[in-house]
Amino acid sequence: MEIVGRVPSETGHAPPAPPPPVGYEGTWRFTAPALDSSVPQARHAVRELLAHQRVPVNGELMESLLLIVSELVTNAVRHAALLSPEIAVEVSLSRDWVRIAVEDNHPYRPVALMADQGGTGGRGLLLVTAVTEEAGGVYDVDHTASGGKVVWAALPLPGAATSRPPSR
């Protein structure tokens, strides 16, 4: 659909214009080898990007986003590296949302498992789901055209005016 102009409403007034874009909107993508060393590098890159773009995140939201990045990259490194020697991290920013996505070439959809109390590890996706839900966000997995997957979480920014996260 192409928008060619604004149409006056029945009362003779034009509908309100959409709010102007904010300076931090956009999508950034970087790739990294599927190695343990990529986890802190991804955290650092996301933190720096959000600071550089002046995204209005408070400390709690920043920690939630960095936890999500850590868990999603760790999962890709641990479970997909055999079929995906490289992973991609994508950060999408809109006026109201931050979306973190990690893509790999492994075809299997991850499942959040209940780990036993004595075990170490295995709780990453449970943690991502809990943090995302607590923040009022959305978590999901999409398949890629190449047969891999994208695991993503979108969290609302403080004062978000919309209840829908950005679509991929």
Side-chain angles (χ1 to χ4, degrees), residues 58-163:
N58 57 32
E60 183 178 345
L61 179 58
M62 178 67 83
E63 289 306 313
S64 295
L65 291 167
L66 296 178
L67 176 71
I68 289 168
V69 169
S70 292
E71 293 299 332
L72 296 184
V73 172
T74 297
N75 282 350
V77 167
R78 288 191 181 158
H79 304 293
L82 185 61
L83 297 177
S84 187
E86 185 174 80
I87 60 171
V89 178
E90 185 174 278
V91 180
S92 298
L93 304 170
S94 73
R95 174 178 291 280
D96 297 315
W97 290 86
V98 176
R99 181 180 184 270
I100 304 289
V102 175
E103 180 178 339
D104 63 57
N105 292 323
H106 199 288
Y108 296 115
R109 184 182 179 104
V111 177
L113 301 174
M114 296 298 286
D116 65 71
Q117 294 292 352
T120 59
R123 296 180 183 92
L125 289 180
L126 290 175
L127 192 55
V128 168
T129 302
V131 166
T132 301
E133 288 175 357
E134 184 177 313
V138 180
Y139 160 83
D140 205 354
V141 180
D142 297 324
H143 291 284
T144 64
S146 64
K149 66 183 167 300
V150 177
V151 184
W152 61 270
L155 302 183
L157 291 172
T162 181
S163 61

Side-chain angles (χ1 to χ4, degrees), residues 7-29:
V7 178
S9 67
E10 291 180 19
T11 61
H13 295 91
V22 292
Y24 55 79
E25 288 184 292
T27 298
W28 292 262
R29 182 179 176 92

